[in-house]
Every structure is written in C-alpha cells, then in structure tokens.
Amino acid sequence: MNFRARTYITVAFSFILIAATLILSQKSIESNISKLVIIAFLILFTYLVYYIYTLKNSQNILKLHLKEAQAGEKQQENLQKQLLKHNTNLENEISTKTKEIHEKRYTSILTGLPNRSKLLEESSIFKFNKMALLNIDNFQSVNDIYGEEIGNVTLKITAVFLQKQIEDKNLFLYHVGGDEFAIVAKENDDFYKELFVEFIEEVLQKYKDEDFVYREKKLNLMISAGISFSGRKKMLAYADMALKDAKKRNVHISVFDNQELEKIHKIEMESHKKLLHALDNNDIISFFQPIVYLKDDSKPTKYESLVRIKEDNGDFIQPFNFLDVAKTNRIYNKITQAVLTNTLAAAQKYNIPCSLNISLTDIYDETTMQMFFSTLDKYAHNELLTIELLETEDFVNYDDVNKFCKRVHSYGIKIALDDFGSGYSNFAHILNLPIDYIKIDASLISHIGKDKNSRIMVETIVELAHRLEIETIAEYVSSKEILDIIKEIGIDYAQGFYIGKPERIEDLLSA
C-alpha cells in the first residue's frame, strides 16, 4: 500500500471515529442499536471506497505493466528485425566472399580466364579428348627487356586474341599459368584430330602475323604449341611433353607420341634428379679446354671452362644432357654460379687466363647478375677472366647487354662473342657491343678445308675483326689440315680436339 492510500484510510477512519463519537454522544437517539447500524454503515462505506480505490490503482498498475510489456515486445521485435537484417547481410557477405575465393581459386586474376585448377577439375568432369598447350616464345625476355607491365599486357592481349579465335567453335580456353594457355576440345566436338592440328597451326600463324602495339611499342610475338589426344588425366602432362619437344627441336608445334615423348620425359626426369643430387653434393665441376695463341709461342694458353656433372660412380655427364632440364626447372642460375666459382678458383690458384660462358638467360636474370658481380668482388685476379656471350642470335635489346659488357670491362675482364658466323645478326653485334674476341663458329671451321664458301666467309670475318682491332678464335680445330689453314688465314687463337680435349685443369697442367 502506498503513502497516498494509507493517508486516505487514516483520514477516513478518523472521520468515522469522530462521526461515531458524535452519534453516541447524542441523547436524542432512541437506542444503541440504531447507533451501531449507522457506525457499521459508515465503516462499510469506507471499505467500499477503499476497495474501489485499490481496484482502480491496480488497474493503473496493470496498464503500466502492460504498456511496459508492449514496449518490451516492440523492442524485441526491433531487435529481431535487426538480427534478421544482420544475418541476411552476413549471409550475403559470406556468399560474396565464397564467390571471390572460388574465383581466385579457379580464375586467373590477370586474364580473367579459368586457370589450371579449373582445367584439372573439369578434366575429370568433361570428356576432353584434344588439348593444345600454348607457350609464348621468349616471354621472359619480353618481361626482362620491357618490364613487368608490358609483360602483363602481353598476357592480357594474348588471352583476348585466343578467346576471339575459339568463338563459336565449342572449345575451351584456360590460362594455365605464367605464359601458358590451353585450348581444349570435348569428346563430342566437331574437330577431327587433323582438323584440330590445322586449327592450332592457323592460330599460331595468325598470332605471329598480328601487330601487337602497346604505347607505341610493337611487340613481335610468337607461340609454340604441344598437342595431346590421349591420357585424359595425363593429357596436360602429355601436352607439356609435346611442347617441350617443340621447343627442343625449334619447331612451333609438336604432337604427343605416347611412347617416344614419354621415354624422353623419363630421361629428363632422371637428368633432373641427377642435377639436383649434383647441386646438393657440389658435383657441378668444370673441365677446361686449351685455347692456344698461334702467332707467339710465349703467350700463355687460355682455358675455357666447360661444365660437367660428376656422378657417384666417377663418370661425367655432358652439358647437353642437363642444361635444357636446368632451364626448364629454373635452376640454371645455380649451374652458372657453380661454373663461375670453379673458373675463378682455377684462374686464381694456377694464375692462368680462363673463360666461361654467360647466356642471355643469365644476363636478363636479376638474381643471377647480383650473384655474378658479388662473386667477382671476392676475387683479386678478375683480369684473368674472359666472358663468352652465348645465344647471340636471340639479342633483341643491346642496352642491357651493352651495360653488362661495360660493367664487366670495369673489372678488367674481356668479352668474347661465341658462335660468330652462325647468323647474319652476328655482324651487327660487333658494331654495337664492346667485343675483345670473336669465336668463329664450328660450322665454318669444320668445313674450311673442303668448302670454298666457308673459307671465304672465315677470311671475311678475320679481315673485318682485325680492322676493328678484335682478336679471332677458331673453334672445332680437329685436324692439322684445319690448323694450317687457319694459321694461313691469320686467325689469332685455335681451340679444338686437335689442340686439346676438355679435362680436369690439374691433368692439363701436369701433362
């Protein structure tokens, strides 16, 4: 009971007591019973008033509670709506993120095409029976020369070009990774094997003829392809074998031959294992082949460092068995490092002039160049070294090669141009690069005694070189006849089996 109610009752009872006292004190009342009836009526009336008040007060309290309950229910409804909205937003966000993750997993971010994971997944769903694995030729050179931006642009425009070629042909295009794309056909397509090969050849030719221009830079691009018609789960691996075969044979397309290419693949896998084993056990060694000066016997003999793998049984593996494998598996730089270390160690230990081969692959690889020059910094007799530039037919940017040559010269190291005369572009090289020696290609020297044109070509090279104050080296001097001819022509140095075979430097110097 609240204060107001208690006050009301107190006042009412006080009024009744006063009224009762006044009534009982009146003598005009006939009997006490009548007085008591009046008093009882007053008491009953008071309780009735109190009951009505209490009922009214309870109703008010009930209304208040009801209003509070309704407000709470309204608040709960609002909370439920907010929760449902949050749940819907969360579901949408999860759905969006799931879609993004799916796209990242199955889509190339750069080109927007389905990627290797998507290809492998769909190869188990669809019955693919034809696959062409396409690779952009010399893409790494494009990336190194023009920069990553143009490299990425090259991939994008290639994707657009290939997508356009397969329109309305029931073919699937995938960006397998890096500079590789795959065009795949289902089992129920309209292409026979021969038609599929013809179609891929047509795509390769169109790509070669296309004028790709970006920011006024013309990109001369070509594609090689490996094709497979079998394997299903191994189809990508077989197409990859065919692609490697095309690269190795310097052709633009190769079709997988189940027995022959798988045999080659097994040989390459074995070579890869041996190469890794050799790198882990410091068995990448150098043989040295003498290069003698023909005009003065007192001048010291030079020695070219030639890489070998030493096997556990004591045998030695020739470089043509593992260099391509090293490039394919991206460990070629480790071979370069081993040969550089071997060569500098021999030059310093025996105080002899030595040369080693450096390819465009090395020059365009930033990591290899950092290793190369940091290694040179550790040796005191770099002037004994000569660098022989390989892959000269692939020179497309003289700036990088020129910078490399000038930096090498700053160490006192000489530069030789290898395989000179194997292509017309060699003549441009000696005009654009700071060359100290040219090594005349074996194809010319080996025929110099039998082929008149070969001799004329060699004589022309020697005369041009001497006018430019460049010394000449004849490779593949395999007989006394060839030696006598090159002496007569005026070549400065000779190298070949008649002069000396590649051996361990200790064996050559002790002979």
Side-chain angles (χ1 to χ4, degrees):
M1 185 182 297
N2 59 30
F3 176 77
R4 186 177 177 182
R6 287 198 301 269
T7 302
Y8 178 81
I9 292 170
T10 301
V11 172
F13 270 101
S14 297
F15 175 76
I16 292 170
L17 287 174
I18 294 170
T21 302
L22 291 174
I23 292 171
L24 290 174
S25 63
Q26 294 295 324
K27 293 181 179 181
S28 61
I29 305 293
E30 292 182 357
S31 67
N32 288 333
I33 294 172
S34 297
K35 295 176 183 178
L36 289 173
V37 170
I38 294 170
I39 292 170
F41 173 76
L42 290 173
I43 292 171
L44 182 61
F45 176 76
T46 301
Y47 273 107
L48 182 61
V49 171
Y50 170 70
Y51 176 76
I52 292 170
Y53 172 79
T54 303
L55 184 62
K56 184 69 174 175
N57 191 51
S58 297
Q59 285 178 343
N60 291 335
I61 293 171
L62 185 61
K63 286 180 179 180
L64 180 63
H65 287 324
L66 183 60
K67 188 179 289 186
E68 290 176 350
Q70 288 175 339
E73 186 176 352
K74 186 72 174 177
Q75 186 178 7
Q76 189 173 8
E77 285 180 2
N78 291 334
L79 287 174
Q80 283 180 335
K81 287 179 180 179
Q82 291 177 6
L83 185 61
L84 286 171
K85 184 178 180 181
H86 177 72
N87 186 56
T88 301
N89 292 338
L90 186 60
E91 286 179 355
N92 291 337
E93 186 176 348
I94 291 172
S95 177
T96 301
K97 292 293 183 184
T98 302
K99 187 177 180 180
E100 288 177 1
I101 292 171
H102 184 275
E103 288 180 354
K104 286 180 180 179
R105 181 182 176 187
Y106 292 108
T107 306
S108 167
I109 298 174
L110 188 63
T111 62
L113 293 174
N115 60 15
R116 181 189 184 91
S117 297
K118 189 67 172 178
L119 171 60
L120 293 175
E121 183 180 281
E122 291 189 342
S123 65
S124 61
I125 300 173
F126 302 114
K127 292 183 178 180
F128 292 144
N129 66 342
K130 300 176 190 68
M131 180 182 295
L133 185 62
L134 313 177
N135 175 263
I136 303 172
D137 294 338
N138 299 318
F139 175 75
Q140 188 59 49
S141 297
V142 173
N143 225 11
D144 292 335
I145 294 168
Y146 298 113
E148 186 177 343
E149 180 186 356
I150 291 186
N152 290 338
V153 168
T154 300
L155 295 175
K156 290 178 181 178
I157 61 179
T158 300
V160 172
F161 173 85
L162 294 175
Q163 189 73 56
K164 186 177 180 181
Q165 303 307 307
I166 67 167
E167 283 180 356
D168 305 322
K169 288 186 173 60
N170 196 26
L171 296 171
F172 298 83
L173 177 64
Y174 300 85
H175 185 187
V176 179
D179 55 352
E180 291 187 343
F181 297 82
I183 295 177
V184 187
K186 287 184 180 180
E187 191 173 39
N188 59 349
D189 63 79
D190 299 327
F191 283 97
Y192 296 105
K193 291 181 179 180
E194 294 79 8
L195 286 176
F196 187 75
V197 174
E198 288 178 8
F199 170 73
I200 297 300
E201 287 178 338
E202 183 182 340
V203 170
L204 267 55
Q205 187 60 46
K206 286 182 178 178
Y207 186 82
K208 182 181 178 181
D209 296 338
E210 186 81 9
D211 288 329
F212 295 110
V213 179
Y214 178 70
R215 292 184 179 177
E216 299 182 352
K217 291 181 180 179
K218 185 177 179 181
L219 305 175
N220 297 313
L221 303 174
M222 292 190 294
I223 285 180
S224 296
I227 297 177
S228 175
F229 297 117
S230 61
R232 192 169 181 183
K233 291 184 179 180
K234 289 187 176 182
M235 188 172 284
L236 181 58
Y238 289 161
D240 184 56
M241 289 183 206
L243 177 61
K244 288 177 181 176
D245 177 64
K247 296 278 189 180
K248 196 170 187 178
R249 293 191 292 114
N250 198 29
V251 296
H252 287 301
I253 194 166
S254 175
V255 180
F256 177 74
D257 182 313
N258 196 14
Q259 294 181 340
E260 185 62 26
L261 287 181
E262 192 152 9
K263 180 182 176 182
I264 293 172
H265 181 64
K266 286 179 180 179
I267 293 172
E268 290 179 346
M269 290 291 289
E270 186 63 30
S271 296
H272 186 215
K273 288 180 182 178
K274 289 181 179 180
L275 183 54
L276 292 177
H277 179 76
L279 289 168
D280 290 339
N281 293 277
N282 295 320
D283 286 332
I284 302 293
I285 66 165
S286 288
F287 275 20
F288 291 81
Q289 187 174 27
I291 305 172
V292 298
Y293 190 61
L294 300 178
K295 299 179 179 181
D296 184 355
D297 293 338
S298 64
K299 200 166 185 177
T301 299
K302 299 174 180 289
Y303 297 90
E304 181 180 0
S305 179
L306 302 167
V307 67
R308 300 286 189 273
I309 287 178
K310 181 182 178 182
E311 294 194 273
D312 294 336
N313 62 4
D315 292 339
F316 298 97
I317 302 176
Q318 299 278 352
F320 63 81
N321 288 312
F322 60 84
L323 285 184
D324 287 340
V325 174
K327 289 179 181 179
T328 301
N329 292 278
R330 299 182 181 180
I331 51 178
Y332 184 78
N333 61 317
K334 295 183 179 180
I335 295 178
T336 301
Q337 182 175 11
V339 174
L340 177 62
T341 303
N342 295 341
T343 308
L344 288 170
Q348 182 167 285
K349 182 177 180 180
Y350 299 105
N351 194 32
I352 54 174
C354 294
S355 64
L356 78 154
N357 298 313
I358 291 294
S359 68
L360 284 182
T361 303
D362 294 317
I363 294 173
Y364 292 149
D365 188 288
E366 186 177 341
T367 303
T368 300
M369 287 295 95
Q370 288 176 354
M371 174 279 300
F372 179 82
F373 288 107
S374 65
T375 303
L376 291 181
D377 291 334
K378 298 174 185 177
Y379 287 85
H381 300 286
N382 291 322
E383 71 280 358
L384 294 171
L385 196 63
T386 297
I387 299 298
E388 298 187 13
L389 297 178
L390 300 177
E391 301 174 353
T392 55
E393 279 299 297
D394 294 328
F395 283 4
V396 291
N397 187 323
Y398 283 112
D399 290 341
D400 290 337
V401 181
N402 214 339
K403 288 176 184 177
F404 170 78
C405 292
K406 288 181 178 179
R407 188 173 179 186
V408 163
H409 272 162
S410 70
Y411 284 83
I413 298 171
K414 301 290 180 61
I415 300 291
L417 200 61
D418 202 11
D419 300 328
F420 192 87
S422 60
Y424 296 109
S425 59
N426 289 152
F427 289 90
H429 299 338
I430 61 174
L431 298 176
N432 290 283
L433 297 173
I435 302 299
D436 301 293
Y437 306 100
I438 57 173
K439 299 187 74 174
I440 303 173
D441 189 61
S443 63
L444 294 174
I445 299 300
S446 61
H447 295 97
I448 199 169
K450 302 174 183 179
D451 182 59
K452 180 182 177 181
N453 291 331
S454 293
R455 176 161 181 157
I456 292 172
M457 179 66 76
V458 172
E459 289 173 343
T460 303
I461 291 171
V462 172
E463 183 181 357
L464 175 63
H466 287 167
R467 286 191 176 187
L468 295 171
E469 297 183 351
I470 298 172
E471 292 190 296
T472 54
I473 302 170
E475 297 183 291
Y476 206 81
V477 179
S478 57
S479 67
K480 186 179 184 304
E481 179 190 5
I482 293 176
L483 180 61
D484 291 339
I485 293 172
I486 65 173
K487 282 182 178 180
E488 182 185 337
I489 290 174
I491 291 176
D492 301 293
Y493 292 87
Q495 179 183 2
F497 275 21
Y498 185 75
I499 305 299
K501 295 180 180 181
E503 295 183 54
R504 300 295 290 265
I505 192 64
E506 299 84 358
D507 298 332
L508 283 172
L509 296 177
S510 63

